[in-house]
Amino acid sequence: MSETPNLSLPFLAPSQAQKHVTVNEALMRLDALSQLTLVSRAIAMPPNTALEGECYGVPPGAAGTWAGHSGEIAVRSNGGWVFAVPRAGWRAWDASAGQVVVHDGEGWIVPPSAGMPGDAGLRLASEVTECSVSAGGAQGLPVFIPAEAMVFACSARVTEDLGASLTGWSLGTQAEVTKFGAGMGPLSGSYATGLLGTPQTFYDGAQVWIAPEGGDFDGGTLRVALHLIRVDLPAA
Protein backbone atom coordinates (compact mmCIF):
# COMPACT_ATOMS: atom_id res chain seq x y z
CA MET A 1 0.00 0.00 0.00
CA SER A 2 1.48 3.33 -1.08
CA GLU A 3 -1.23 5.64 0.31
CA THR A 4 -3.85 5.80 3.04
CA PRO A 5 -7.20 4.12 2.28
CA ASN A 6 -9.54 7.05 2.96
CA LEU A 7 -7.88 10.34 2.05
CA SER A 8 -5.24 8.84 -0.31
CA LEU A 9 -2.39 10.50 1.57
CA PRO A 10 0.98 9.26 0.25
CA PHE A 11 3.16 7.15 2.54
CA LEU A 12 6.88 7.65 2.89
CA ALA A 13 8.90 4.82 1.37
CA PRO A 14 11.91 3.25 3.16
CA SER A 15 15.12 5.20 2.46
CA GLN A 16 13.15 7.64 0.31
CA ALA A 17 14.96 10.74 -0.94
CA GLN A 18 13.39 14.18 -0.59
CA LYS A 19 10.90 13.03 2.02
CA HIS A 20 9.62 16.57 2.44
CA VAL A 21 7.95 16.42 -1.01
CA THR A 22 5.77 13.46 0.00
CA VAL A 23 5.05 14.91 3.44
CA ASN A 24 4.06 18.28 1.98
CA GLU A 25 1.73 16.64 -0.55
CA ALA A 26 0.04 14.68 2.25
CA LEU A 27 -0.34 17.83 4.36
CA MET A 28 -1.82 19.73 1.41
CA ARG A 29 -4.45 17.03 0.82
CA LEU A 30 -5.25 16.82 4.52
CA ASP A 31 -5.57 20.59 4.75
CA ALA A 32 -8.00 20.66 1.81
CA LEU A 33 -10.14 17.61 2.61
CA SER A 34 -10.37 17.40 6.41
CA GLN A 35 -12.72 20.42 6.74
CA LEU A 36 -14.06 20.21 3.21
CA THR A 37 -15.53 23.29 1.54
CA LEU A 38 -16.54 23.08 -2.12
CA VAL A 39 -16.45 26.44 -3.87
CA SER A 40 -18.96 25.05 -6.37
CA ARG A 41 -20.37 21.79 -7.71
CA ALA A 42 -21.66 23.38 -10.93
CA ILE A 43 -18.60 24.86 -12.67
CA ALA A 44 -17.49 22.62 -15.54
CA MET A 45 -14.40 24.55 -16.66
CA PRO A 46 -11.40 24.82 -14.28
CA PRO A 47 -11.23 28.45 -13.09
CA ASN A 48 -7.91 30.18 -13.72
CA THR A 49 -8.43 32.42 -10.69
CA ALA A 50 -8.77 29.58 -8.15
CA LEU A 51 -6.70 30.03 -4.99
CA GLU A 52 -4.30 27.44 -3.57
CA GLY A 53 -6.19 24.83 -1.56
CA GLU A 54 -9.63 25.64 -2.98
CA CYS A 55 -11.79 22.60 -3.76
CA TYR A 56 -14.45 22.08 -6.43
CA GLY A 57 -16.91 19.26 -6.97
CA VAL A 58 -16.33 18.26 -10.61
CA PRO A 59 -19.71 18.00 -12.40
CA PRO A 60 -20.63 15.76 -15.36
CA GLY A 61 -19.28 17.01 -18.67
CA ALA A 62 -16.29 18.80 -17.13
CA ALA A 63 -13.74 20.11 -19.61
CA GLY A 64 -10.09 21.10 -19.78
CA THR A 65 -7.86 19.54 -17.14
CA TRP A 66 -11.00 18.36 -15.30
CA ALA A 67 -12.09 16.16 -18.22
CA GLY A 68 -12.44 12.55 -17.10
CA HIS A 69 -12.69 13.49 -13.42
CA SER A 70 -16.47 13.93 -13.12
CA GLY A 71 -17.67 13.14 -9.60
CA GLU A 72 -14.24 13.75 -8.06
CA ILE A 73 -12.97 16.65 -5.95
CA ALA A 74 -10.52 18.98 -7.71
CA VAL A 75 -8.03 20.63 -5.35
CA ARG A 76 -5.95 23.59 -6.50
CA SER A 77 -2.29 22.81 -5.81
CA ASN A 78 0.90 24.50 -7.06
CA GLY A 79 -0.99 26.20 -9.86
CA GLY A 80 -2.47 22.92 -11.10
CA TRP A 81 -5.04 20.41 -9.92
CA VAL A 82 -4.96 17.21 -7.91
CA PHE A 83 -8.02 15.00 -7.55
CA ALA A 84 -9.60 13.02 -4.75
CA VAL A 85 -12.40 10.46 -5.01
CA PRO A 86 -15.05 11.13 -2.33
CA ARG A 87 -16.44 8.20 -0.36
CA ALA A 88 -19.88 7.52 1.05
CA GLY A 89 -20.39 9.57 4.20
CA TRP A 90 -18.08 12.47 3.32
CA ARG A 91 -19.62 15.81 4.22
CA ALA A 92 -18.87 19.18 2.66
CA TRP A 93 -20.04 22.76 2.76
CA ASP A 94 -21.19 23.85 -0.72
CA ALA A 95 -20.30 27.54 -0.62
CA SER A 96 -22.12 28.48 -3.84
CA ALA A 97 -25.39 26.86 -2.69
CA GLY A 98 -24.98 27.77 0.98
CA GLN A 99 -25.74 24.28 2.24
CA VAL A 100 -24.23 21.10 3.63
CA VAL A 101 -24.02 18.16 1.21
CA VAL A 102 -23.22 14.50 1.85
CA HIS A 103 -21.76 11.95 -0.54
CA ASP A 104 -23.88 8.79 -0.78
CA GLY A 105 -21.30 6.76 -2.71
CA GLU A 106 -22.63 7.86 -6.09
CA GLY A 107 -22.89 11.64 -5.82
CA TRP A 108 -23.42 14.64 -3.56
CA ILE A 109 -26.89 14.91 -2.04
CA VAL A 110 -28.54 17.29 0.39
CA PRO A 111 -29.13 15.38 3.64
CA PRO A 112 -32.75 15.01 4.75
CA SER A 113 -34.20 17.95 6.63
CA ALA A 114 -36.25 15.39 8.52
CA GLY A 115 -35.39 11.70 8.55
CA MET A 116 -37.04 8.60 9.96
CA PRO A 117 -35.95 4.98 10.42
CA GLY A 118 -36.19 2.98 7.21
CA ASP A 119 -34.65 5.72 5.02
CA ALA A 120 -37.84 7.80 4.79
CA GLY A 121 -37.12 11.50 4.77
CA LEU A 122 -37.93 14.99 3.58
CA ARG A 123 -35.29 17.03 1.73
CA LEU A 124 -35.33 20.80 1.47
CA ALA A 125 -32.80 21.72 -1.20
CA SER A 126 -31.44 24.66 -3.21
CA GLU A 127 -29.63 23.47 -6.33
CA VAL A 128 -27.48 26.04 -8.18
CA THR A 129 -26.43 25.82 -11.86
CA GLU A 130 -24.23 28.12 -13.94
CA CYS A 131 -25.98 28.67 -17.29
CA SER A 132 -24.75 30.04 -20.61
CA VAL A 133 -27.42 31.79 -22.68
CA SER A 134 -27.20 31.41 -26.46
CA ALA A 135 -27.87 34.29 -28.84
CA GLY A 136 -31.45 34.23 -30.10
CA GLY A 137 -34.87 33.67 -28.65
CA ALA A 138 -36.50 31.58 -25.92
CA GLN A 139 -34.46 28.55 -24.91
CA GLY A 140 -34.16 25.78 -22.38
CA LEU A 141 -31.47 26.04 -19.71
CA PRO A 142 -29.45 23.13 -18.29
CA VAL A 143 -31.66 23.27 -15.19
CA PHE A 144 -34.13 20.44 -14.66
CA ILE A 145 -36.85 20.21 -12.04
CA PRO A 146 -36.82 16.58 -10.88
CA ALA A 147 -39.96 14.50 -11.08
CA GLU A 148 -42.14 14.47 -7.96
CA ALA A 149 -40.50 17.58 -6.50
CA MET A 150 -42.44 20.44 -4.90
CA VAL A 151 -40.97 23.74 -6.08
CA PHE A 152 -41.17 26.90 -3.98
CA ALA A 153 -39.06 29.14 -6.20
CA CYS A 154 -36.62 29.31 -9.08
CA SER A 155 -34.32 32.28 -8.57
CA ALA A 156 -31.70 33.63 -10.95
CA ARG A 157 -29.04 36.32 -11.19
CA VAL A 158 -27.51 37.73 -14.37
CA THR A 159 -23.72 37.33 -14.15
CA GLU A 160 -22.96 38.51 -17.70
CA ASP A 161 -25.14 40.90 -19.73
CA LEU A 162 -27.88 39.21 -21.77
CA GLY A 163 -28.25 42.04 -24.31
CA ALA A 164 -28.28 45.82 -24.00
CA SER A 165 -31.18 46.21 -26.45
CA LEU A 166 -33.56 43.96 -24.52
CA THR A 167 -36.34 45.45 -22.43
CA GLY A 168 -36.26 42.44 -20.11
CA TRP A 169 -36.44 38.67 -19.81
CA SER A 170 -38.68 36.07 -18.24
CA LEU A 171 -37.99 32.82 -16.40
CA GLY A 172 -40.24 29.80 -16.33
CA THR A 173 -40.85 26.49 -18.08
CA GLN A 174 -41.49 25.70 -21.74
CA ALA A 175 -45.20 25.50 -20.98
CA GLU A 176 -45.25 28.77 -19.00
CA VAL A 177 -42.21 30.97 -19.68
CA THR A 178 -43.20 33.59 -17.07
CA LYS A 179 -43.90 31.18 -14.21
CA PHE A 180 -40.94 32.43 -12.14
CA GLY A 181 -41.01 36.06 -13.19
CA ALA A 182 -40.98 38.56 -16.07
CA GLY A 183 -39.63 42.00 -16.78
CA MET A 184 -36.21 41.45 -15.16
CA GLY A 185 -33.36 43.67 -16.34
CA PRO A 186 -30.90 42.20 -18.87
CA LEU A 187 -27.70 43.64 -17.40
CA SER A 188 -25.28 41.98 -14.98
CA GLY A 189 -26.56 42.07 -11.40
CA SER A 190 -30.25 41.90 -12.29
CA TYR A 191 -32.14 39.06 -10.68
CA ALA A 192 -35.38 37.13 -10.39
CA THR A 193 -36.56 36.00 -6.96
CA GLY A 194 -38.90 33.53 -8.66
CA LEU A 195 -41.03 32.85 -5.58
CA LEU A 196 -44.29 31.06 -6.38
CA GLY A 197 -47.47 32.25 -4.67
CA THR A 198 -48.43 28.59 -4.26
CA PRO A 199 -45.77 25.81 -4.28
CA GLN A 200 -46.18 23.49 -7.25
CA THR A 201 -45.44 19.78 -7.49
CA PHE A 202 -43.94 18.74 -10.82
CA TYR A 203 -44.94 15.09 -11.03
CA ASP A 204 -43.24 14.58 -14.42
CA GLY A 205 -40.39 17.05 -13.94
CA ALA A 206 -39.67 20.01 -16.23
CA GLN A 207 -36.89 22.03 -17.81
CA VAL A 208 -36.37 25.66 -16.86
CA TRP A 209 -36.63 28.12 -19.78
CA ILE A 210 -35.63 31.73 -20.33
CA ALA A 211 -37.27 34.07 -22.86
CA PRO A 212 -36.24 37.54 -24.10
CA GLU A 213 -38.52 40.55 -24.04
CA GLY A 214 -38.27 43.31 -26.66
CA GLY A 215 -35.67 41.59 -28.85
CA ASP A 216 -33.28 38.65 -28.83
CA PHE A 217 -30.53 37.56 -26.46
CA ASP A 218 -26.96 38.49 -27.42
CA GLY A 219 -25.57 35.73 -25.16
CA GLY A 220 -24.59 36.10 -21.52
CA THR A 221 -24.69 33.96 -18.40
CA LEU A 222 -27.03 33.29 -15.51
CA ARG A 223 -26.72 31.65 -12.12
CA VAL A 224 -29.98 29.76 -11.52
CA ALA A 225 -31.16 28.15 -8.28
CA LEU A 226 -34.07 25.76 -7.74
CA HIS A 227 -35.60 25.79 -4.26
CA LEU A 228 -37.61 22.64 -3.67
CA ILE A 229 -38.70 19.77 -1.44
CA ARG A 230 -38.29 16.10 -2.29
CA VAL A 231 -39.56 13.02 -0.45
CA ASP A 232 -37.49 9.89 0.24
CA LEU A 233 -39.59 6.72 0.25
CA PRO A 234 -39.27 4.13 3.04
CA ALA A 235 -36.82 1.35 2.22
CA ALA A 236 -38.19 -1.75 0.52
Side-chain angles (χ1 to χ4, degrees):
M1 179 182 289
S2 60
E3 57 186 30
T4 61
N6 292 317
L7 294 181
S8 300
L9 306 180
F11 283 130
L12 289 173
S15 303
Q16 177 180 326
Q18 294 190 325
K19 295 180 175 63
H20 67 282
V21 175
T22 301
V23 171
N24 288 343
E25 180 182 345
L27 290 174
M28 183 279 298
R29 285 176 175 263
L30 187 62
D31 180 71
L33 300 175
S34 61
Q35 298 289 339
L36 183 57
T37 294
L38 299 174
V39 176
S40 173
R41 294 182 292 134
I43 298 174
M45 180 64 71
N48 294 327
T49 56
L51 302 177
E52 285 291 301
E54 285 188 335
C55 300
Y56 291 77
V58 182
T65 53
W66 287 2
H69 293 280
S70 296
E72 299 179 18
I73 298 168
V75 183
R76 188 68 163 176
S77 176
N78 292 322
W81 299 95
V82 295
F83 300 92
V85 178
R87 296 173 179 270
W90 283 24
R91 300 174 69 87
W93 173 253
D94 184 334
S96 65
Q99 63 189 9
V100 173
V101 291
V102 177
H103 204 276
D104 66 357
E106 296 183 0
W108 296 102
I109 62 171
V110 178
S113 300
M116 297 292 289
D119 297 331
L122 186 70
R123 299 180 187 275
L124 177 63
S126 294
E127 302 173 356
V128 182
T129 305
E130 303 286 337
C131 304
S132 295
V133 178
S134 300
Q139 58 198 269
L141 298 175
V143 181
F144 298 90
I145 300 170
E148 299 185 341
M150 178 178 287
V151 176
F152 290 84
C154 180
S155 60
R157 185 179 297 276
V158 179
T159 53
E160 183 180 337
D161 293 358
L162 302 178
S165 63
L166 294 178
T167 59
W169 54 280
S170 62
L171 186 69
T173 63
Q174 187 174 17
E176 187 178 353
V177 294
T178 61
K179 175 174 286 294
F180 302 115
M184 284 78 72
L187 302 183
S188 179
S190 298
Y191 62 89
T193 304
L195 189 65
L196 296 176
T198 302
Q200 179 178 343
T201 301
F202 289 77
Y203 290 100
D204 297 323
Q207 184 178 11
V208 175
W209 275 59
I210 185 174
E213 298 173 354
D216 286 334
F217 292 121
D218 293 338
T221 58
L222 285 174
R223 183 172 294 123
V224 180
L226 284 172
H227 310 274
L228 49 83
I229 278 181
R230 300 184 71 179
V231 173
D232 291 333
L233 295 173

